[in-house]
Amino acid sequence: MSRALIGAVVLAAALLVASSTLFTVHQTQQVLITQFGEPIRVIREPGLHYKLPFIQSVIAFDRRLLDYDAPGEEVILGDQRRLIVDSFTRYRITNPLEFYQTVGATEAGIRARLNSIVQSSLRRVLGNEPLLSVLSTDRTRIMGTIRNQVNEEARRFGIEVTDVRIRRADLPEENTQAILSRMQSERERVAREARAEGAEVAVRVRAGADRERTVLLAEGQASADILRGQGEQEAIRIFADAFQRDPAFFQFWRSMQAYRDAFGEGETRLLLSPDSEFFRYFRGTSQIGQPGAVAPAPPAAPAAAPAPARTSD
C-alpha cells in the first residue's frame, strides 16, 4: 500500500473522528449530551463544543417560546351554564434534563401532558365563575389564575408556562338557539313597550294640541265678535251723523237702494198706480238738496203681487 493511500485513509479517519467529536450549538437551542442513553451534561451557551465520538449523542431542544393549541372542550360554569372553550398555551423549556427524563426527547410528549393539565385547570377555575365574569374584564384575573395553576403543575416536566389564553368561548348549539330565542323575545317586549309609550305620548300631545286649538279658536271668535260689534257701532254712528247732515240726500239714497232691490234681476211683478209714492223721484226732484226742505219719508217697497194663476184649457 502506498504512502499516499495511507495518508488519505488517515485523513478520512481524522475527519470522521472530528465530525463525531465537534458540534455547534445554535443561539436558539440548548443541548443535552447523553452517553448510551444516559444524560451527561447540558450545554446552553451557543458556539462550538465537543463530545466523545461514537459513544455520546447530542439532543437539541428549542429554547424559544413554544405554542400549544388545545382542542375545544365543554366546560360547566359556576352558574351551571355550558361553554365550549378553545384555548392556547405558551411555554418554554427551562430544564432540558428534566424534560428529557419525564417526557422524552421530542416536544410531542409534552403536548398530551399540557392538554390534560390545561383542561383540568380550566374546569376547576371556570367551574367557580359565572358567565358574565368570563365575558367581562374579570377574564384577565381568571386567566392569570389558570396560568399560575398550569405553571405550578408543569414545572415538574422542566418547562415554564408563560401564558394561557382563551381564544374562543362559544355556547353549545342548543344553548345558542335558546338564548337567541330569549333575546328575540326580550327585544320584542322592549319594542312593544316603546311603541306603547310612544302611543301614550302621541295621544297626550294630540289632546293638548286639540285643547290649545279649541282655546285659540274661542279666543279668536270672541275677539272677532268684539271687533265686529265695535265696527257695527262705529258704522251706525257714522250713518247717523251722515243722516243728520243731509236728510234729503239720505232719503234719496235710500230710495235708490229700494229701486235697485225692486227692479233687480228676477221674475217679480209689481202692480202700482202711476201716482204711487214709490215713483215720486221719477216725477220730479225739485226738493232734493234744497236748504230747509224736508224730504218725505222713504217709500216702502210695495208687496209683490202674486203671479196670475194658470187655467187649463
Side-chain angles (χ1 to χ4, degrees):
M1 184 177 296
S2 63
R3 292 182 178 180
L5 181 58
I6 295 174
V9 171
V10 171
L11 181 60
L15 291 176
L16 180 60
V17 171
S19 63
S20 299
T21 303
L22 302 176
F23 64 93
T24 302
V25 178
H26 195 268
Q27 60 185 356
T28 62
Q29 293 177 334
Q30 49 192 339
V31 171
L32 176 66
I33 304 298
T34 62
Q35 181 173 330
F36 301 114
E38 294 294 329
I40 301 300
R41 59 192 173 99
V42 177
I43 300 176
R44 291 187 173 89
E45 296 78 13
L48 185 63
H49 296 272
Y50 69 91
K51 64 179 180 66
L52 295 179
F54 307 115
I55 62 174
Q56 292 184 347
S57 302
V58 176
I59 302 175
F61 297 95
D62 202 328
R63 65 189 306 171
R64 293 173 296 183
L65 200 62
L66 304 175
D67 292 334
Y68 169 66
D69 294 332
E73 289 287 338
E74 184 174 318
V75 178
I76 300 178
L77 302 180
D79 52 3
Q80 302 305 311
R81 296 187 179 182
R82 298 179 181 273
L83 199 66
I84 298 178
V85 178
D86 184 8
S87 64
F88 68 90
T89 306
R90 291 179 179 175
Y91 66 96
R92 179 184 289 110
I93 299 175
T94 57
N95 192 331
L97 179 58
E98 272 190 347
F99 187 88
Y100 175 76
Q101 290 175 340
T102 53
V103 299
T106 63
E107 299 175 7
I110 194 61
R111 296 184 181 275
R113 308 290 182 90
L114 273 180
N115 182 68
S116 176
I117 295 173
V118 171
Q119 295 301 331
S120 299
S121 181
L122 284 174
R123 295 177 186 276
R124 187 165 51 249
V125 175
L126 295 181
N128 298 322
E129 300 290 342
L131 178 62
L132 291 179
S133 297
V134 177
L135 301 180
S136 65
T137 55
D138 287 344
R139 188 166 177 171
T140 303
R141 173 186 60 81
I142 295 172
M143 298 315 301
T145 304
I146 295 174
R147 181 196 62 227
N148 294 336
Q149 291 186 4
V150 173
N151 185 43
E152 191 68 26
E153 295 185 28
R155 285 179 180 176
R156 57 192 177 93
F157 300 114
I159 65 173
E160 178 188 5
V161 176
T162 61
D163 199 6
V164 178
R165 293 287 177 178
I166 294 178
R167 178 186 291 108
R168 185 174 179 180
D170 293 331
L171 294 171
E173 184 64 25
E174 58 275 11
N175 293 5
T176 302
Q177 296 301 325
I179 290 177
L180 290 178
S181 299
R182 286 201 300 271
M183 291 175 61
Q184 183 177 1
S185 301
E186 179 66 18
R187 292 298 93 193
E188 290 177 354
R189 183 186 63 80
V190 172
R192 287 195 298 269
E193 291 180 357
R195 282 193 291 266
E197 292 176 358
E200 181 182 357
V201 173
V203 170
R204 188 163 55 248
V205 171
R206 192 176 295 111
D210 292 340
R211 182 174 61 254
E212 186 176 356
R213 172 180 173 272
T214 303
V215 171
L216 291 176
L217 289 177
E219 292 177 352
Q221 186 64 35
S223 300
D225 293 340
I226 293 173
L227 293 176
R228 189 179 297 107
Q230 293 175 353
E232 291 177 354
Q233 180 183 359
E234 184 67 17
I236 293 172
R237 186 188 63 77
I238 295 174
F239 194 77
D241 291 344
F243 176 76
Q244 294 296 331
R245 291 181 181 179
D246 194 347
F249 177 78
F250 181 74
Q251 293 293 340
F252 174 74
W253 180 67
R254 291 292 301 273
S255 297
M256 294 299 104
Q257 286 184 333
Y259 292 155
R260 183 188 60 190
D261 295 338
F263 300 124
E265 295 181 359
E267 297 181 355
T268 304
R269 297 180 182 181
L270 300 176
L271 299 178
L272 300 173
S273 61
D275 56 352
S276 173
E277 187 67 20
F278 186 70
F279 295 108
R280 68 183 183 279
Y281 288 110
F282 287 96
R283 295 194 297 271
T285 58
S286 58
Q287 294 181 350
I288 299 175
Q290 293 181 1
V294 178
R310 295 181 179 179
T311 59
S312 59
D313 295 338

